[in-house]
Amino acid sequence: MAQKLIIDTDPGVDDAFAIALAALSSDVDLLGVTTVHGNVPLSATTINARRILALCKRADVPVAAGAPRPLVHRSPHEAGEVHGSDGLSGRSAALPEPSRPLDERDAVTLLAELLEASDTPVTIAPIGPLTNIAALLAAHPAAAAKIDRIVIMGGALGHGNTTAAAEFNIWSDPEAAQRVLTGGDAPCVLVPMDLTYRCAVDAAWLDELDASGPIGAALHALTPDYRTHYRGALGWDGMVVHDAVAVAEAIRPGTLRTERVPVQVECSFGPGRGATLADRRLPALRAATDGAAPASEVDVAVDTDLAALRALLLDRLR
Ligand code: BDR
Ligand code: CA
């Protein structure tokens, strides 16, 4: 049976790859796409998501716009310096215009209605700030019972990318992330940047995508600004397809190897704001120092077959 999936996203070049990965996979039932503030303002993430679906000829997939800002505190900045001013290296307008209008419902309503209407569990893949998902869980606990897994791109076990401590998606709305990761509403998988960096694709992979056909070439055309950023961040010519790594796990469970540990989000206003504190101590040591109080646990992705993952992405995006 096809994997039922909803993507919550802030496109973003790697979001574009992740949406296309799901939209082009015949073993995925993509029920909807919801958008959130993040890499660029909500109006831009929303039109970008709709244009990517139009590129993939998926006018059957509804898109609803969600939160224009974090739940509690405004983020000091977006990530136009990484993804380009329009979120897609300045190439958004070159994509096909969507024939399907924007859904009249807001993102949380669309998420809740899609979940409630489903007779089998649904995976949600949030690949932007977690604002919409926290609001969904808070407002619609019955719908949350229909969630199979929430597979999140976010967090860092080592250093961050937006600050020394924090990865962008979690840093953009730490209070929302804390709600989703510790609320115990649905099983969570966290795909942190430590692993997504190791899955980076190189120039040869990108050349192959470009030569693979019209959709591959159109996706490749979105990468110049993003690739320039990652040439600096990686120190070699390639780019990190963070969100596509998480969506690969969402559509093929078990693609990533995970460790089940408690995770907390730092919500203070010090230099650690937005850090994900994954408690990887041995359970016996944790219990000895913290007492017996059970903490809700998260499956944190720590490893994968890197070559197989890159081959899967290329195969599906052609
Ligand atoms: C995450 O932040 C965004 O810039 C990317 O789209 C990805 O979701 C990586 O830290
Ligand atoms: Ca993203």
Side-chain angles (χ1 to χ4, degrees), residues 10 12 14-15 39 79 83 127-128 153 161 167-169 242-243:
D10 64 333
D14 58 326
D15 301 75
N39 288 315
H83 296 264
I127 52 176
M153 191 283 128
N161 55 5
E167 178 280 331
F168 179 78
N169 288 342
H242 303 278
D243 295 338

Side-chain angles (χ1 to χ4, degrees), residues 122-141:
V122 178
T123 295
I124 299 181
I127 52 176
L130 286 155
T131 319
N132 291 339
I133 308 305
L136 169 76
L137 299 178
H140 298 277

Side-chain angles (χ1 to χ4, degrees), residues 8-307:
D8 186 70
T9 178
D10 64 333
V13 175
D14 58 326
D15 301 75
F17 278 55
I19 293 167
L21 172 61
L24 299 170
S25 290
S26 56
D27 54 355
V28 175
D29 183 3
L30 185 59
L31 301 179
V33 170
T34 52
T35 60
V36 67
H37 68 94
N39 288 315
V40 283
L42 181 69
S43 56
T45 64
T46 302
I47 189 63
N48 290 348
R50 294 173 64 215
R51 286 173 174 159
I52 293 296
L53 287 168
L55 172 70
C56 299
K57 301 188 172 31
R58 292 299 306 267
D60 58 308
V61 179
V63 178
R69 49 156 288 179
L71 281 185
V72 183
H73 302 286
R74 288 191 182 277
S75 297
H77 70 80
E78 292 158 339
E81 79 284 4
V82 179
H83 296 264
S85 56
D86 66 353
L88 297 176
S89 297
R91 312 295 173 95
S92 175
L95 289 168
E97 284 305 322
S99 57
R100 184 188 180 105
L102 180 64
D103 203 279
E104 286 179 356
R105 292 165 285 187
D106 63 274
V108 172
T109 304
L110 179 65
L111 279 157
E113 291 187 4
L114 289 173
L115 289 167
E116 280 159 5
S118 179
D119 48 9
T120 53
V122 178
T123 295
I124 299 181
I127 52 176
L130 286 155
T131 319
N132 291 339
I133 308 305
L136 169 76
L137 299 178
H140 298 277
K146 294 284 190 73
I147 300 173
D148 182 18
R149 302 191 299 167
I150 305 177
V151 183
I152 301 160
M153 191 283 128
L157 303 178
H159 64 80
N161 55 5
T162 301
T163 69
E167 178 280 331
F168 179 78
N169 288 342
I170 306 297
W171 172 86
S172 296
D173 196 342
E175 287 78 16
Q178 174 75 349
R179 174 68 172 86
V180 174
L181 290 169
T182 67
D185 305 271
C188 290
V189 180
L190 189 67
V191 182
M193 57 172 280
D194 316 68
L195 179 59
T196 58
Y197 257 78
R198 290 176 50 216
C199 301
V201 295
D202 63 10
W205 188 99
L206 287 161
D207 287 348
E208 215 176 316
L209 178 70
D210 190 20
S212 68
I215 294 183
L219 290 170
H220 180 265
L222 306 176
T223 62
D225 290 4
Y226 190 72
R227 189 165 165 181
T228 299
H229 169 82
Y230 276 104
R231 209 175 277 128
L234 290 165
W236 48 273
D237 184 16
M239 56 178 235
V240 185
V241 286
H242 303 278
D243 295 338
V245 178
V247 168
E249 169 61 29
I251 67 178
R252 292 245 305 232
T255 298
L256 309 182
R257 187 170 72 73
T258 59
E259 281 179 21
R260 181 162 295 190
V261 293
V263 176
Q264 298 277 334
V265 180
E266 174 60 79
C267 293
S268 75
F269 288 91
R273 181 165 171 79
T276 40
L277 303 170
D279 191 345
R280 300 176 81 188
R281 293 175 295 173
L282 287 175
L285 175 59
R286 207 189 298 148
T289 53
D290 295 359
S296 59
E297 295 184 322
V298 170
D299 290 319
V300 178
V302 292
D303 203 6
T304 191
D305 179 335
L306 301 176

